Amino acid sequence: MPDQLELDGLNELLAALVEERLNIVTSVRKLRDTRRQKGTFVLGDGAASGTRFAMVQHQIEIVEALIASKMREAG
């Protein structure tokens, strides 16, 4: 049972990370759209979020690898 609880926790973590990645994309899109409407858009708007996006994507890959490993162990 602890293995299933751990797997469930990893799946919840994965879902939260995927949601966070979507939130970053949505925020940047909103920022750019708002700046375009105001006429203040410049190239690079939202670029600062790129680092955060890359970190979240890396975390997603790690969690996916852990889930795959647990599935093989349970297998």
Side-chain angles (χ1 to χ4, degrees):
M1 189 62 125
D3 287 339
Q4 184 60 43
L5 288 175
E6 185 176 9
L7 189 56
D8 289 346
L10 287 169
N11 280 317
E12 287 180 30
L13 177 58
L14 178 60
L17 288 168
V18 169
E19 184 177 343
E20 178 64 17
R21 181 177 63 189
L22 181 60
N23 289 340
I24 292 168
V25 171
T26 302
S27 294
V28 170
R29 190 171 291 139
K30 275 184 175 178
L31 170 70
R32 289 179 177 174
D33 288 346
T34 301
R35 296 254 177 108
R36 280 187 183 103
Q37 289 173 357
K38 290 182 176 181
T40 59
F41 178 78
V42 294
L43 288 177
D45 272 351
S49 66
T51 302
R52 176 70 182 138
F53 185 88
M55 288 172 42
V56 170
Q57 183 60 40
H58 181 66
Q59 292 169 351
I60 287 170
E61 291 165 2
I62 290 170
V63 172
E64 286 175 336
L66 288 170
I67 290 171
S69 174
K70 288 289 174 192
M71 295 299 284
R72 281 192 300 274
E73 286 176 11

